[in-house]
Amino acid sequence: MKKASLIIILYFLISKTNGQQLDSIANHKKWNYKSFILPTVLTGSGVLLLNSEMNNDIQKDLNSFFGSNFHTKADNATVFMPLLQIYTGKLFGFDAQHTTKHRTVDVVTANTLSYAVVTILKNSVKATRPDDSDRLSFPSGHTAIAFTNAILLFQEYKEANFWYASSGFVFATATGILRIANNKHFSSDVLTGAGIGLASGFLVSYYNPLQQIYFGKKNKSTAVIYPQLSNQIGVGIQIKP
């Protein structure tokens, strides 16, 4: 029981730490590789936990904490809250940094990237879900999408209102916790999903080639995203600031 409580607190601390890290880079206009420290840590932690005894122990502790009969569909709503917030900030008196069209291009690009990476990994790893429903457990798609939009939300409203900009991470973190509570994902799946989501959002926020196509805006950084099919299936990213 104590382990379960500590794990839940850890998730919220990760969210808070991420907000503090984002605040520290909010005034940097140039490409900042430090932005990828947290996504790397989260993804790496998930990979290390995958198929480990600790992963199973955490799952058992959390199932005991929430109850074996726990089930909610709230995670199907919280996953989209950061996305909704991207477009509703003005209703609360907050001005986004970009136009609706600009935000939409970033949202479509980032979510497509996140979804593609998650789908490739799901079909490559073929990890069985905790409830044995299928072999598409790793990583968590719900968590990845939630964190993708949470970081886009932050980038849009960080100068207007830091707390509103950061609020998306509360819903993203809740989504990850609920996916575990519903016995649909292990902690490894959620941590890696969060890392992929953050990385996708950061990458598109700093460089989105579609913005140049649609709006003719030049970017200070160049990036190439390409499939890796030689020794293993994956996605490669080459960035030049």
Side-chain angles (χ1 to χ4, degrees), residues 149-162:
N149 291 308
I151 188 61
L152 293 178
L153 171 68
F154 179 84
Q155 298 289 52
E156 285 297 330
Y157 294 99
K158 61 188 177 184
E159 294 183 3
N161 186 288
F162 177 79

Side-chain angles (χ1 to χ4, degrees), residues 108-182:
V108 171
T109 306
N111 281 275
T112 299
L113 175 60
S114 182
Y115 178 80
V117 174
V118 167
T119 300
I120 289 173
L121 288 175
K122 279 181 178 290
N123 288 282
S124 299
V125 179
K126 295 182 178 180
T128 303
R129 292 185 188 274
D131 63 358
D132 295 323
S133 58
D134 60 44
R135 298 183 64 188
L136 298 174
S137 184
F138 182 86
S140 169
H142 277 66
T143 308
I145 293 301
F147 274 92
T148 297
N149 291 308
I151 188 61
L152 293 178
L153 171 68
F154 179 84
Q155 298 289 52
E156 285 297 330
Y157 294 99
K158 61 188 177 184
E159 294 183 3
N161 186 288
F162 177 79
W163 296 109
Y164 180 78
S166 303
S167 62
F169 294 109
V170 175
F171 292 107
T173 302
T175 300
I177 293 174
L178 290 175
R179 293 304 285 169
I180 299 175
N182 277 328

Side-chain angles (χ1 to χ4, degrees), residues 11 16-17 25 37 76 100 105 120 127 137 140 154-155 187 227:
Y11 275 110
K16 182 178 179 181
T17 302
I25 67 171
I37 293 178
N76 292 325
T100 301
V105 172
I120 289 173
S137 184
S140 169
F154 179 84
Q155 298 289 52
S187 295

Side-chain angles (χ1 to χ4, degrees), residues 76-90:
N76 292 325
T78 56
V79 63
F80 294 114
M81 284 303 298
L83 175 61
L84 180 64
Q85 289 179 281
I86 291 175
Y87 293 100
T88 58
K90 197 168 185 178

Side-chain angles (χ1 to χ4, degrees), residues 2-221:
K2 291 182 179 180
K3 280 187 177 181
S5 300
L6 289 174
I7 294 299
I8 293 174
I9 293 173
L10 176 61
Y11 275 110
F12 281 101
L13 286 176
I14 288 174
S15 177
K16 182 178 179 181
T17 302
N18 186 59
Q20 292 174 341
Q21 181 192 15
L22 293 173
D23 186 35
S24 68
I25 67 171
N27 296 321
H28 291 271
K29 295 182 179 180
K30 295 182 179 180
W31 179 271
N32 193 326
Y33 289 96
K34 292 182 179 180
S35 303
F36 288 90
I37 293 178
L38 183 58
T40 301
V41 170
L42 290 173
T43 303
S45 298
V47 171
L48 289 175
L49 278 175
L50 183 64
N51 297 325
S52 69
E53 191 63 31
M54 182 181 293
N55 206 28
N56 294 326
D57 290 341
I58 293 174
Q59 193 70 20
K60 291 177 182 178
D61 289 337
L62 286 173
N63 285 340
S64 175
F65 178 82
F66 287 103
S68 58
N69 295 322
F70 179 87
H71 179 71
T72 179
K73 294 183 179 180
D75 49 343
N76 292 325
T78 56
V79 63
F80 294 114
M81 284 303 298
L83 175 61
L84 180 64
Q85 289 179 281
I86 291 175
Y87 293 100
T88 58
K90 197 168 185 178
L91 296 177
F92 300 96
F94 308 134
D95 292 325
Q97 292 195 32
H98 303 102
T99 65
T100 301
K101 289 183 179 180
H102 189 119
R103 276 175 277 166
T104 300
V105 172
D106 278 351
V107 164
V108 171
T109 306
N111 281 275
T112 299
L113 175 60
S114 182
Y115 178 80
V117 174
V118 167
T119 300
I120 289 173
L121 288 175
K122 279 181 178 290
N123 288 282
S124 299
V125 179
K126 295 182 178 180
T128 303
R129 292 185 188 274
D131 63 358
D132 295 323
S133 58
D134 60 44
R135 298 183 64 188
L136 298 174
S137 184
F138 182 86
S140 169
H142 277 66
T143 308
I145 293 301
F147 274 92
T148 297
N149 291 308
I151 188 61
L152 293 178
L153 171 68
F154 179 84
Q155 298 289 52
E156 285 297 330
Y157 294 99
K158 61 188 177 184
E159 294 183 3
N161 186 288
F162 177 79
W163 296 109
Y164 180 78
S166 303
S167 62
F169 294 109
V170 175
F171 292 107
T173 302
T175 300
I177 293 174
L178 290 175
R179 293 304 285 169
I180 299 175
N182 277 328
N183 212 33
K184 285 296 182 180
H185 285 289
F186 292 100
S187 295
S188 57
D189 311 334
V190 168
L191 290 172
T192 301
I196 291 172
L198 288 175
S200 299
F202 269 129
L203 180 63
V204 171
S205 295
Y206 280 108
Y207 178 79
N208 186 350
L210 293 182
Q211 292 295 354
Q212 187 171 354
I213 294 174
Y214 283 102
F215 302 105
K217 293 185 177 181
K218 295 182 179 180
N219 295 278
K220 294 181 180 180
S221 303

